[in-house]
Amino acid sequence: MIKFMIKIYILYLVLVALLPTMLGRIFHYNVIYSSRKKKVPWIVITFDDGPDPEYTPVLLSLLDKYNVKACFFLLADKVEKYPELAREIVNRGHEIGIHGYKHHINWFLGPIATYKELLKSIEIIYKITGKYPSYYRPPWGLFTTFIYQYSKKLGVKIILWSYMSWDWKVKDPNLIVKRILNKVKGGNILIFHDSSDNIGSDKEAPETMLIALDKIISGIREKNLEIVDINKFIFS
């Protein structure tokens, strides 16, 4: 009986979690990972896992230095802890999205728990910032059928990325710069992380990212590419 139940559970995970993740990550079903228009000179920069009281203020100053607008995918529990910082992100003209309440694996959430997680995250971020988060990036880019269902119901678009910089793990900022600038082209969505308290992240990773980002922004502009607000990127 136990073996039978284990087989049923594995089948459930395959159908509800693994296949939807493959659809999103490999076939890009119902997600935005790059511009839908060909040959656009635009780039979008996004940040996950904040707000972080140590690194996010430094990041905001760096973005101000270059007059760059980004999209921050926020964890709602951190927004509760650092409400002024979340509001500062919005006040400086950046877009916000949700990254969940906590950075956990969605595969183990059923339909009700998934809906409550998304709704709770949206309500917290909206109440604190006054801005409805229109975008969603699931932690680790892991999907379930329920994520597709309820993100649509709640009116949030799923945003992934064009390729990884591995900034949360790479210790050499020059390697991050090289990885990005060797690949970057118009229509890309770039992903970085302004916090380092998740499983697998190096403690100093955001500091390394900030060093790299300064060079990346300059390098992108040298390629005659424009870093734009995600709303312009999607809707123009």
Side-chain angles (χ1 to χ4, degrees):
M1 183 66 178
I2 295 176
K3 289 184 178 180
F4 175 76
M5 294 303 295
I6 291 174
K7 289 181 180 178
I8 292 297
Y9 185 65
I10 291 174
L11 178 62
Y12 170 84
L13 285 179
V14 169
L15 294 176
V16 173
L18 183 58
L19 289 179
T21 296
M22 290 176 64
L23 283 173
R25 293 286 294 275
I26 299 174
F27 300 103
H28 305 120
Y29 170 74
N30 205 33
V31 306
I32 298 171
Y33 74 100
S34 65
S35 174
R36 292 173 180 174
K37 294 182 179 180
K38 295 182 178 180
K39 297 182 179 180
V40 295
W42 302 333
I43 301 292
V44 167
I45 293 181
T46 66
F47 299 93
D48 288 7
D49 301 346
D52 183 280
E54 181 176 0
Y55 296 111
T56 304
V58 181
L59 172 58
L60 290 173
S61 295
L62 177 60
L63 295 175
D64 282 350
K65 172 184 172 182
Y66 288 101
N67 193 28
V68 165
K69 303 305 178 187
C71 183
F72 288 77
F73 289 92
L74 306 175
L75 292 168
D77 72 324
K78 289 187 177 181
V79 172
E80 288 181 314
K81 291 177 184 176
Y82 313 112
E84 291 298 329
L85 190 49
R87 283 191 284 267
E88 185 65 18
I89 291 171
V90 172
N91 290 341
R92 295 205 191 189
H94 301 288
E95 188 57 68
I96 55 174
I98 61 173
H99 200 39
Y101 182 74
K102 289 182 178 290
H103 201 284
H104 55 213
I105 299 174
N106 291 316
W107 281 8
F108 303 111
L109 298 180
I112 295 175
T114 298
Y115 180 73
K116 287 182 176 180
E117 162 96 3
L118 289 171
L119 182 61
K120 181 180 182 181
S121 300
I122 290 171
E123 288 178 341
I124 289 170
I125 292 173
Y126 178 64
K127 181 179 180 181
I128 289 175
T129 67
K131 186 177 182 66
Y132 191 92
S134 301
Y135 305 108
Y136 173 52
R137 176 175 285 159
W140 290 295
L142 299 178
F143 291 82
T144 65
T145 55
F146 316 126
I147 286 175
Y148 285 120
Q149 178 182 357
Y150 293 124
S151 60
K152 183 177 181 180
K153 181 176 181 179
L154 293 168
V156 292
K157 296 182 182 295
I158 300 173
I159 308 294
L160 289 184
W161 53 85
S162 299
Y163 53 88
M164 274 283 187
S165 67
W166 299 99
D167 65 301
W168 50 273
K169 198 67 177 175
V170 175
K171 298 180 183 295
D172 183 356
N174 292 319
L175 183 56
I176 299 173
V177 174
K178 184 177 179 180
R179 284 181 173 178
I180 293 295
L181 295 183
N182 282 349
K183 286 187 175 182
V184 71
K185 60 182 180 180
N188 283 170
I189 297 175
L190 304 183
I191 176 175
F192 301 98
H193 301 78
D194 58 328
S195 184
S196 60
D197 52 5
N198 293 319
I199 296 173
S201 297
D202 286 339
K203 186 177 180 180
E204 298 81 13
E207 185 176 348
T208 303
M209 179 276 293
L210 288 166
I211 296 171
L213 185 63
D214 199 325
K215 299 178 182 179
I216 288 169
I217 293 174
S218 296
I220 287 172
R221 289 181 170 173
E222 288 174 4
K223 291 176 178 287
N224 294 318
L225 296 172
E226 181 183 2
I227 302 170
V228 299
D229 175 89
I230 193 170
N231 296 309
K232 178 179 179 178
F233 184 88
I234 292 173
F235 297 110
S236 294

